[in-house]
Amino acid sequence: MSRPDPAHHHLSPARLLDVDPLLEDPQTRIVVCCGSGGVGKTTTAAALGLRAAERGRKVVVLTIDPARRLAQSMGIDSLDNTPRRVKGIDETAGGELHAMMLDMKRTFDEIVEAHADRERAAAILGNPFYQSLSAGFAGTQEYMAMEKLGQLRARDEWDLIVVDTPPSRSALDFLDAPKRLGSFLDGRLIRLLTAPAKLGGRAGMKFLNVGMSMMTGTLGKLLGGQLLKDVQTFVSAMDTTFGGFRTRADATYKLLQAPGTAFLVVAAPERDALREAAYFVERLAAEDMPLAGLVLNRVHGSGADGLSAERALAAAENLEEPRIVDQEDGKALLRNSPDAQDSSGSPTPGTPALASAPEGGSPTEHAEDTEPSGDAEHAEDTERSVDRLTAGLLRLHADRMQLLSREQRTRDRFTALHPEVAVTEVAALPGDVHDLAGLRDIGDRLAADARELPDPADRTEAPEASA
Amino acid sequence: MSRLQVVSGKGGTGKTTVAAALALALATEGKRTLLVEVEGRQGIAQLFETEALPYEERKIAVAPGGGEVYALAIDPELALLDYLQMFYKLGSAGRALKKLGAIDFATTIAPGLRDVLLTGKACEAVRRKERSGRFAYDYVVMDAPPTGRITRFLNVNDEVAGLAKIGPIHNQAQAVMRVLKSPETAVHLVTLLEEMPVQETVDGIAELRSARLPVGRIIVNMVRPEVLDETDLELLRTVPRSTVARSLSSAGLGGARRGGHAERLVDPLLTQADEYAERYTLEHEQRAVLAEVGLPLHELPLFAEGMDLAGLYELARELREQGVS
Ligand SMILES: Nc1ncnc2c1ncn2[C@@H]1O[C@H](COP(=O)(O)OP(=O)(O)OP(=O)(O)O)[C@@H](O)[C@H]1O
Ligand SMILES: Nc1ncnc2c1ncn2[C@@H]1O[C@H](COP(=O)(O)OP(=O)(O)O)[C@@H](O)[C@H]1O
Ligand SMILES: [Mg+2]
Ligand SMILES: [Mg+2]
């Protein structure tokens, strides 16, 4: 056993997630991107699909709620609920990209049409309860996403299916909602309520029966007999053709446990999103569902992370302070652009104390380079605005460093809790991701084996520069 | 000013936070506001760092200046039991119904029933008067469902159309609609300066308007400070690297000559500024999109360190300064 190196006793960084081997492995047939709302699931799913296709696989991406411009750029904004081949990708490796956007109502309608003869299907589709169910019952979207996944897998036309998951506040909804909805529709209550007559003779059900008739009575008054009748008609029509909602939900659930399925949890480096991600990681383990890793999306790095926030701020203040040389001839007011000063007002001439040497640092060797020559007011103006700009650059940098260290702390808390989870980091791009070029960029970042956020040990202060 | 203020917006944009800040802002001296939650998530309790709220109006904060904020987490099951009790005198049978899961069942198969119970409770609080004739609450602020569901949620008349044609639920729906479609109500939308939430806001407003629901204000949340302004960004495009290096050097950050510490900072700092500039442009575009809607626009700052009670009071003060109360 080697002795621990005292210079490296910080937490060992999490394993890096290598997405290319995962995408290229012919054994990988389904990749599921999950996570809480707004973290970048759809973007990640699309970027992974594109990358896999450009590396030679025949891919279909099932997106749920793509941003409008992204859908347009992939040619899937038409909502016909069937995969479309995406144009403009590099197919030289022999791959193809197909993509679609889920239409939950249509998916539900198609199930009905596939399972019932025309007459019965028409009756179900026209049933008011069915209409409200398919238009947006809690859990319908999750149920239909699973259903669509099952259908795509059954068609067996693609090497790889990348699935996005519905936007919900909890990543777990994707796993739980279909079963919950299935159980509800197949539930005891819905059956008892909609077919109380069948209960007739059974002695043991007597108490329940009394409860039931009171219940149907009350609910009938409340909801109207028609709604209950609609529910009943719907359930019995579905029963004879469909074979149970719960059974079906269970079947797709099994697909998620099959070898060849990999989960990626997407999270932003924020407390709530990572807490949600941790729940999900634990849940996957409990369900024997294989987790490939965590995508930490929208992290911030810096090319100048050797310069701390504190030093950057001190330097910015320094630039915004009036210099001794400007205090002559009442020029101080000129020098002090009101924007660069806060509400404390412009210092009056004759207060040289304000222009003290840079805090903690040596007065710089280059001071003479920047002193105004005094003969060109224009040059002075320019210099003043450059100083103002530079101060702004330093303030931006300070903000960036503070953000970066918050994100780092949040990430490290997660990896301390789940050191077994491989992580890849994707930088926050300044703009939205809305075209193939943007997705390719995200794909490169997903695959890069470098971190965006520095490791704790790397965050040593840069050496004092002036010597 | 409308006495029922409904706060919606895309998920995660800050509906709960803004609703709470608004309730504080409206509770000026001598006033009383009620903050209601309808999604059973205990978001208000979390925000005010108190234990879970029961189905009961409770004072949770005193606003700056002495007004009071009460809170209520409406539970649709309990609200339905209240109704059954009131109109059908069910007694203990009500509890049996709940045990059997019938209440949950009813509100599940008829989502419109759930919604009318939730909005109904809020409207009841709006209209309630004390013995003195004074309104029990000067304002009721609702932390409402997100933009994608808000129109259906508030349009309870349509939603209960398929339910029993007579009886208390129908009367209730009528009474609720009278309040919701009147100037007594204003629906505000919270957004961020990003493409998707702004798009959702614009679509949501169109939907609300076509349902003749009264739209109030747009509240842009989590606005980042302007560190570089138009002039700085102009200069950023043309400024010679060496000039920036000298300026950094004069601030005490080392040598400006090639390879010097200050000189090596220039590229990364300029890259960060370019990213800032790109976002700045995007944010301006989104602001323009929002301005086109023609509603009062408010902006609330991002608290980079995260939200806490102090931050919440800060947002309330900001809202007051921007004239919402
Ligand atoms: N101005 C702000 N500055 C910093 N953080 C904020 C601000 N406003 C909200 N937040 C934070 O953003 C997160 C989301 O806010 P909140 O819960 O209010 O949103 P919501 O729209 O109610 O979300 P949901 O759709 O899940 O109900 C919270 O962590 C909150 O503390
Ligand atoms: N790394 C990133 N950098 C910049 N913007 C991003 C990044 N990832 C996602 N986005 C943007 O964030 C928004 C939400 O992303 P999306 O993938 O739709 O999230 P989700 O599917 O999890 O709700 C989109 O506008 C998208 O372009
Ligand atoms: Mg999405
Ligand atoms: Mg909320």
mmCIF file with all atom_site columns, all heavy atoms in Angstrom, chain A residues 132-148:
data_model
loop_
_atom_site.group_PDB
_atom_site.id
_atom_site.type_symbol
_atom_site.label_atom_id
_atom_site.label_alt_id
_atom_site.label_comp_id
_atom_site.label_asym_id
_atom_site.label_entity_id
_atom_site.label_seq_id
_atom_site.pdbx_PDB_ins_code
_atom_site.Cartn_x
_atom_site.Cartn_y
_atom_site.Cartn_z
_atom_site.occupancy
_atom_site.B_iso_or_equiv
_atom_site.pdbx_formal_charge
_atom_site.auth_seq_id
_atom_site.auth_comp_id
_atom_site.auth_asym_id
_atom_site.auth_atom_id
_atom_site.pdbx_PDB_model_num
ATOM 1   N N   . SER A 1 132 ? -60.710 13.438 -22.244 1.00 0.00 ? 132 SER A N   1
ATOM 2   C CA  . SER A 1 132 ? -59.983 14.205 -21.229 1.00 0.00 ? 132 SER A CA  1
ATOM 3   C C   . SER A 1 132 ? -58.758 13.424 -20.754 1.00 0.00 ? 132 SER A C   1
ATOM 4   O O   . SER A 1 132 ? -57.724 13.998 -20.435 1.00 0.00 ? 132 SER A O   1
ATOM 5   C CB  . SER A 1 132 ? -60.898 14.619 -20.073 1.00 0.00 ? 132 SER A CB  1
ATOM 6   O OG  . SER A 1 132 ? -61.039 13.566 -19.150 1.00 0.00 ? 132 SER A OG  1
ATOM 7   N N   . LEU A 1 133 ? -58.855 12.108 -20.772 1.00 0.00 ? 133 LEU A N   1
ATOM 8   C CA  . LEU A 1 133 ? -57.715 11.277 -20.388 1.00 0.00 ? 133 LEU A CA  1
ATOM 9   C C   . LEU A 1 133 ? -56.541 11.462 -21.347 1.00 0.00 ? 133 LEU A C   1
ATOM 10  O O   . LEU A 1 133 ? -55.400 11.655 -20.938 1.00 0.00 ? 133 LEU A O   1
ATOM 11  C CB  . LEU A 1 133 ? -58.154 9.808  -20.374 1.00 0.00 ? 133 LEU A CB  1
ATOM 12  C CG  . LEU A 1 133 ? -57.097 8.743  -20.068 1.00 0.00 ? 133 LEU A CG  1
ATOM 13  C CD1 . LEU A 1 133 ? -56.616 8.879  -18.640 1.00 0.00 ? 133 LEU A CD1 1
ATOM 14  C CD2 . LEU A 1 133 ? -57.675 7.346  -20.292 1.00 0.00 ? 133 LEU A CD2 1
ATOM 15  N N   . SER A 1 134 ? -56.842 11.444 -22.649 1.00 0.00 ? 134 SER A N   1
ATOM 16  C CA  . SER A 1 134 ? -55.765 11.481 -23.628 1.00 0.00 ? 134 SER A CA  1
ATOM 17  C C   . SER A 1 134 ? -55.233 12.894 -23.829 1.00 0.00 ? 134 SER A C   1
ATOM 18  O O   . SER A 1 134 ? -54.129 13.091 -24.308 1.00 0.00 ? 134 SER A O   1
ATOM 19  C CB  . SER A 1 134 ? -56.238 10.913 -24.966 1.00 0.00 ? 134 SER A CB  1
ATOM 20  O OG  . SER A 1 134 ? -57.316 11.681 -25.456 1.00 0.00 ? 134 SER A OG  1
ATOM 21  N N   . ALA A 1 135 ? -56.021 13.888 -23.445 1.00 0.00 ? 135 ALA A N   1
ATOM 22  C CA  . ALA A 1 135 ? -55.582 15.262 -23.677 1.00 0.00 ? 135 ALA A CA  1
ATOM 23  C C   . ALA A 1 135 ? -54.657 15.760 -22.582 1.00 0.00 ? 135 ALA A C   1
ATOM 24  O O   . ALA A 1 135 ? -54.047 16.816 -22.718 1.00 0.00 ? 135 ALA A O   1
ATOM 25  C CB  . ALA A 1 135 ? -56.782 16.182 -23.788 1.00 0.00 ? 135 ALA A CB  1
ATOM 26  N N   . GLY A 1 136 ? -54.529 15.020 -21.504 1.00 0.00 ? 136 GLY A N   1
ATOM 27  C CA  . GLY A 1 136 ? -53.619 15.561 -20.507 1.00 0.00 ? 136 GLY A CA  1
ATOM 28  C C   . GLY A 1 136 ? -54.026 15.240 -19.095 1.00 0.00 ? 136 GLY A C   1
ATOM 29  O O   . GLY A 1 136 ? -54.206 16.115 -18.266 1.00 0.00 ? 136 GLY A O   1
ATOM 30  N N   . PHE A 1 137 ? -54.188 14.004 -18.826 1.00 0.00 ? 137 PHE A N   1
ATOM 31  C CA  . PHE A 1 137 ? -54.376 13.516 -17.479 1.00 0.00 ? 137 PHE A CA  1
ATOM 32  C C   . PHE A 1 137 ? -53.010 13.487 -16.820 1.00 0.00 ? 137 PHE A C   1
ATOM 33  O O   . PHE A 1 137 ? -52.001 13.321 -17.512 1.00 0.00 ? 137 PHE A O   1
ATOM 34  C CB  . PHE A 1 137 ? -54.893 12.084 -17.593 1.00 0.00 ? 137 PHE A CB  1
ATOM 35  C CG  . PHE A 1 137 ? -56.081 11.811 -16.748 1.00 0.00 ? 137 PHE A CG  1
ATOM 36  C CD1 . PHE A 1 137 ? -57.243 12.528 -16.946 1.00 0.00 ? 137 PHE A CD1 1
ATOM 37  C CD2 . PHE A 1 137 ? -56.052 10.831 -15.776 1.00 0.00 ? 137 PHE A CD2 1
ATOM 38  C CE1 . PHE A 1 137 ? -58.361 12.267 -16.186 1.00 0.00 ? 137 PHE A CE1 1
ATOM 39  C CE2 . PHE A 1 137 ? -57.164 10.566 -15.006 1.00 0.00 ? 137 PHE A CE2 1
ATOM 40  C CZ  . PHE A 1 137 ? -58.316 11.279 -15.211 1.00 0.00 ? 137 PHE A CZ  1
ATOM 41  N N   . ALA A 1 138 ? -52.959 13.608 -15.494 1.00 0.00 ? 138 ALA A N   1
ATOM 42  C CA  . ALA A 1 138 ? -51.655 13.483 -14.841 1.00 0.00 ? 138 ALA A CA  1
ATOM 43  C C   . ALA A 1 138 ? -51.097 12.104 -15.172 1.00 0.00 ? 138 ALA A C   1
ATOM 44  O O   . ALA A 1 138 ? -51.754 11.092 -14.965 1.00 0.00 ? 138 ALA A O   1
ATOM 45  C CB  . ALA A 1 138 ? -51.830 13.640 -13.342 1.00 0.00 ? 138 ALA A CB  1
ATOM 46  N N   . GLY A 1 139 ? -49.894 12.079 -15.739 1.00 0.00 ? 139 GLY A N   1
ATOM 47  C CA  . GLY A 1 139 ? -49.252 10.801 -16.027 1.00 0.00 ? 139 GLY A CA  1
ATOM 48  C C   . GLY A 1 139 ? -49.412 10.319 -17.456 1.00 0.00 ? 139 GLY A C   1
ATOM 49  O O   . GLY A 1 139 ? -48.706 9.416  -17.882 1.00 0.00 ? 139 GLY A O   1
ATOM 50  N N   . THR A 1 140 ? -50.353 10.922 -18.205 1.00 0.00 ? 140 THR A N   1
ATOM 51  C CA  . THR A 1 140 ? -50.565 10.448 -19.571 1.00 0.00 ? 140 THR A CA  1
ATOM 52  C C   . THR A 1 140 ? -49.315 10.637 -20.437 1.00 0.00 ? 140 THR A C   1
ATOM 53  O O   . THR A 1 140 ? -48.945 9.773  -21.213 1.00 0.00 ? 140 THR A O   1
ATOM 54  C CB  . THR A 1 140 ? -51.748 11.183 -20.236 1.00 0.00 ? 140 THR A CB  1
ATOM 55  O OG1 . THR A 1 140 ? -52.901 10.989 -19.432 1.00 0.00 ? 140 THR A OG1 1
ATOM 56  C CG2 . THR A 1 140 ? -52.031 10.635 -21.620 1.00 0.00 ? 140 THR A CG2 1
ATOM 57  N N   . GLN A 1 141 ? -48.657 11.789 -20.260 1.00 0.00 ? 141 GLN A N   1
ATOM 58  C CA  . GLN A 1 141 ? -47.489 12.051 -21.098 1.00 0.00 ? 141 GLN A CA  1
ATOM 59  C C   . GLN A 1 141 ? -46.377 11.025 -20.838 1.00 0.00 ? 141 GLN A C   1
ATOM 60  O O   . GLN A 1 141 ? -45.774 10.497 -21.761 1.00 0.00 ? 141 GLN A O   1
ATOM 61  C CB  . GLN A 1 141 ? -46.983 13.471 -20.843 1.00 0.00 ? 141 GLN A CB  1
ATOM 62  C CG  . GLN A 1 141 ? -46.134 13.962 -21.976 1.00 0.00 ? 141 GLN A CG  1
ATOM 63  C CD  . GLN A 1 141 ? -45.696 15.396 -21.811 1.00 0.00 ? 141 GLN A CD  1
ATOM 64  O OE1 . GLN A 1 141 ? -45.560 15.890 -20.689 1.00 0.00 ? 141 GLN A OE1 1
ATOM 65  N NE2 . GLN A 1 141 ? -45.484 16.075 -22.909 1.00 0.00 ? 141 GLN A NE2 1
ATOM 66  N N   . GLU A 1 142 ? -46.154 10.728 -19.570 1.00 0.00 ? 142 GLU A N   1
ATOM 67  C CA  . GLU A 1 142 ? -45.139 9.737  -19.215 1.00 0.00 ? 142 GLU A CA  1
ATOM 68  C C   . GLU A 1 142 ? -45.531 8.364  -19.757 1.00 0.00 ? 142 GLU A C   1
ATOM 69  O O   . GLU A 1 142 ? -44.695 7.643  -20.306 1.00 0.00 ? 142 GLU A O   1
ATOM 70  C CB  . GLU A 1 142 ? -44.981 9.649  -17.690 1.00 0.00 ? 142 GLU A CB  1
ATOM 71  C CG  . GLU A 1 142 ? -44.204 10.801 -17.062 1.00 0.00 ? 142 GLU A CG  1
ATOM 72  C CD  . GLU A 1 142 ? -45.049 12.043 -16.811 1.00 0.00 ? 142 GLU A CD  1
ATOM 73  O OE1 . GLU A 1 142 ? -46.267 12.020 -17.141 1.00 0.00 ? 142 GLU A OE1 1
ATOM 74  O OE2 . GLU A 1 142 ? -44.503 13.036 -16.302 1.00 0.00 ? 142 GLU A OE2 1
ATOM 75  N N   . TYR A 1 143 ? -46.811 8.045  -19.610 1.00 0.00 ? 143 TYR A N   1
ATOM 76  C CA  . TYR A 1 143 ? -47.302 6.754  -20.085 1.00 0.00 ? 143 TYR A CA  1
ATOM 77  C C   . TYR A 1 143 ? -47.084 6.633  -21.594 1.00 0.00 ? 143 TYR A C   1
ATOM 78  O O   . TYR A 1 143 ? -46.601 5.626  -22.100 1.00 0.00 ? 143 TYR A O   1
ATOM 79  C CB  . TYR A 1 143 ? -48.794 6.622  -19.754 1.00 0.00 ? 143 TYR A CB  1
ATOM 80  C CG  . TYR A 1 143 ? -49.339 5.208  -19.890 1.00 0.00 ? 143 TYR A CG  1
ATOM 81  C CD1 . TYR A 1 143 ? -49.559 4.432  -18.764 1.00 0.00 ? 143 TYR A CD1 1
ATOM 82  C CD2 . TYR A 1 143 ? -49.626 4.667  -21.135 1.00 0.00 ? 143 TYR A CD2 1
ATOM 83  C CE1 . TYR A 1 143 ? -50.062 3.138  -18.873 1.00 0.00 ? 143 TYR A CE1 1
ATOM 84  C CE2 . TYR A 1 143 ? -50.120 3.381  -21.257 1.00 0.00 ? 143 TYR A CE2 1
ATOM 85  C CZ  . TYR A 1 143 ? -50.339 2.619  -20.122 1.00 0.00 ? 143 TYR A CZ  1
ATOM 86  O OH  . TYR A 1 143 ? -50.831 1.351  -20.236 1.00 0.00 ? 143 TYR A OH  1
ATOM 87  N N   . MET A 1 144 ? -47.401 7.692  -22.309 1.00 0.00 ? 144 MET A N   1
ATOM 88  C CA  . MET A 1 144 ? -47.294 7.646  -23.762 1.00 0.00 ? 144 MET A CA  1
ATOM 89  C C   . MET A 1 144 ? -45.835 7.677  -24.236 1.00 0.00 ? 144 MET A C   1
ATOM 90  O O   . MET A 1 144 ? -45.512 7.110  -25.272 1.00 0.00 ? 144 MET A O   1
ATOM 91  C CB  . MET A 1 144 ? -48.075 8.805  -24.388 1.00 0.00 ? 144 MET A CB  1
ATOM 92  C CG  . MET A 1 144 ? -49.566 8.624  -24.239 1.00 0.00 ? 144 MET A CG  1
ATOM 93  S SD  . MET A 1 144 ? -50.115 7.033  -24.915 1.00 0.00 ? 144 MET A SD  1
ATOM 94  C CE  . MET A 1 144 ? -51.171 6.455  -23.592 1.00 0.00 ? 144 MET A CE  1
ATOM 95  N N   . ALA A 1 145 ? -44.971 8.327  -23.465 1.00 0.00 ? 145 ALA A N   1
ATOM 96  C CA  . ALA A 1 145 ? -43.546 8.320  -23.819 1.00 0.00 ? 145 ALA A CA  1
ATOM 97  C C   . ALA A 1 145 ? -43.020 6.894  -23.732 1.00 0.00 ? 145 ALA A C   1
ATOM 98  O O   . ALA A 1 145 ? -42.314 6.407  -24.630 1.00 0.00 ? 145 ALA A O   1
ATOM 99  C CB  . ALA A 1 145 ? -42.760 9.248  -22.886 1.00 0.00 ? 145 ALA A CB  1
ATOM 100 N N   . MET A 1 146 ? -43.404 6.188  -22.680 1.00 0.00 ? 146 MET A N   1
ATOM 101 C CA  . MET A 1 146 ? -43.006 4.795  -22.504 1.00 0.00 ? 146 MET A CA  1
ATOM 102 C C   . MET A 1 146 ? -43.577 3.938  -23.627 1.00 0.00 ? 146 MET A C   1
ATOM 103 O O   . MET A 1 146 ? -42.916 3.074  -24.176 1.00 0.00 ? 146 MET A O   1
ATOM 104 C CB  . MET A 1 146 ? -43.558 4.257  -21.180 1.00 0.00 ? 146 MET A CB  1
ATOM 105 C CG  . MET A 1 146 ? -42.834 4.780  -19.989 1.00 0.00 ? 146 MET A CG  1
ATOM 106 S SD  . MET A 1 146 ? -41.320 3.848  -19.738 1.00 0.00 ? 146 MET A SD  1
ATOM 107 C CE  . MET A 1 146 ? -41.317 3.735  -17.965 1.00 0.00 ? 146 MET A CE  1
ATOM 108 N N   . GLU A 1 147 ? -44.840 4.206  -23.934 1.00 0.00 ? 147 GLU A N   1
ATOM 109 C CA  . GLU A 1 147 ? -45.534 3.468  -24.975 1.00 0.00 ? 147 GLU A CA  1
ATOM 110 C C   . GLU A 1 147 ? -44.819 3.639  -26.324 1.00 0.00 ? 147 GLU A C   1
ATOM 111 O O   . GLU A 1 147 ? -44.553 2.678  -27.033 1.00 0.00 ? 147 GLU A O   1
ATOM 112 C CB  . GLU A 1 147 ? -46.969 4.003  -25.055 1.00 0.00 ? 147 GLU A CB  1
ATOM 113 C CG  . GLU A 1 147 ? -47.836 3.402  -26.110 1.00 0.00 ? 147 GLU A CG  1
ATOM 114 C CD  . GLU A 1 147 ? -48.084 1.909  -25.909 1.00 0.00 ? 147 GLU A CD  1
ATOM 115 O OE1 . GLU A 1 147 ? -48.189 1.485  -24.731 1.00 0.00 ? 147 GLU A OE1 1
ATOM 116 O OE2 . GLU A 1 147 ? -48.174 1.190  -26.916 1.00 0.00 ? 147 GLU A OE2 1
ATOM 117 N N   . LYS A 1 148 ? -44.478 4.877  -26.629 1.00 0.00 ? 148 LYS A N   1
ATOM 118 C CA  . LYS A 1 148 ? -43.809 5.167  -27.899 1.00 0.00 ? 148 LYS A CA  1
ATOM 119 C C   . LYS A 1 148 ? -42.442 4.476  -27.934 1.00 0.00 ? 148 LYS A C   1
ATOM 120 O O   . LYS A 1 148 ? -42.037 3.945  -28.963 1.00 0.00 ? 148 LYS A O   1
ATOM 121 C CB  . LYS A 1 148 ? -43.656 6.683  -28.064 1.00 0.00 ? 148 LYS A CB  1
ATOM 122 C CG  . LYS A 1 148 ? -43.404 7.108  -29.486 1.00 0.00 ? 148 LYS A CG  1
ATOM 123 C CD  . LYS A 1 148 ? -44.672 6.975  -30.301 1.00 0.00 ? 148 LYS A CD  1
ATOM 124 C CE  . LYS A 1 148 ? -44.423 6.910  -31.786 1.00 0.00 ? 148 LYS A CE  1
ATOM 125 N NZ  . LYS A 1 148 ? -45.668 6.667  -32.544 1.00 0.00 ? 148 LYS A NZ  1
#
